[in-house]
Amino acid sequence: MDKNMLAKLAVKAAENAYAPYSGFKVGAALLAASGKIYTGCNIENASFSPTVCAERNAFFSAINAGERNFECIAVAGVKNGNISGICTPCGVCRQVMAEFCSENFLVLSVKNNEGTEFEEYTLSDLLPFSFGSDNFTE
Ligand code: THU
């Protein structure tokens, strides 16, 4: 797995973000088990609640393309043209990840504009004791 390439693609994907309200442009690059990479950006809305995060847009593109198994996602959050701090996925996106990914799914939070530095987490680091279908099936 080329983590550096994923991080760079996440930075690039943020360029397409539609974020006129927050000014926070997020890009995500998701590596499926097939080897294909799906990107996403955040898309905001004047009515606010329809806003969708970069991570979910990447996941939903991949799922629409028939993917069901995933290895890693890189996430880059850009404010005023710069990545100054890490962007970790929101709670809703973590729950979407838990629907399709195992506990050792990797999340890379990009730390610089070049995409050469990132923090690395597993999904279980970010969403311990997660709720899933196991909680209500026998
Ligand atoms: N956002 C993402 O796209 N991903 C995250 O991980 C955190 C938040 C977006 C949603 C909204 O458009 C903007 O960032 C500010 O919350």
Side-chain angles (χ1 to χ4, degrees), residues 39-105:
T39 59
C41 60
N42 55 329
I43 302 174
E44 298 185 346
N45 189 280
S47 184
F48 289 11
S49 60
T51 294
V52 182
C53 293
E55 295 92 322
R56 265 175 290 151
N57 277 325
F59 263 91
F60 295 156
S61 288
I63 291 158
N64 260 302
E67 303 283 2
R68 291 293 184 271
N69 298 296
F70 302 98
E71 292 184 2
C72 181
I73 192 167
V75 185
V78 182
K79 185 84 183 177
N80 298 324
N82 276 307
I83 297 175
S84 51
I86 57 165
C87 180
T88 51
C90 80
V92 175
C93 290
R94 293 177 198 200
Q95 184 66 27
V96 168
M97 291 173 191
E99 183 71 24
F100 295 99
C101 305
S102 67
E103 290 192 332
N104 56 8
F105 176 73

Side-chain angles (χ1 to χ4, degrees), residues 11 14 23-25 76-86 110-114:
V11 177
F24 189 52
K25 295 185 164 196
V78 182
K79 185 84 183 177
N80 298 324
N82 276 307
I83 297 175
S84 51
I86 57 165
V110 183
K111 291 168 78 173
N112 64 350
N113 285 17
E114 295 72 34

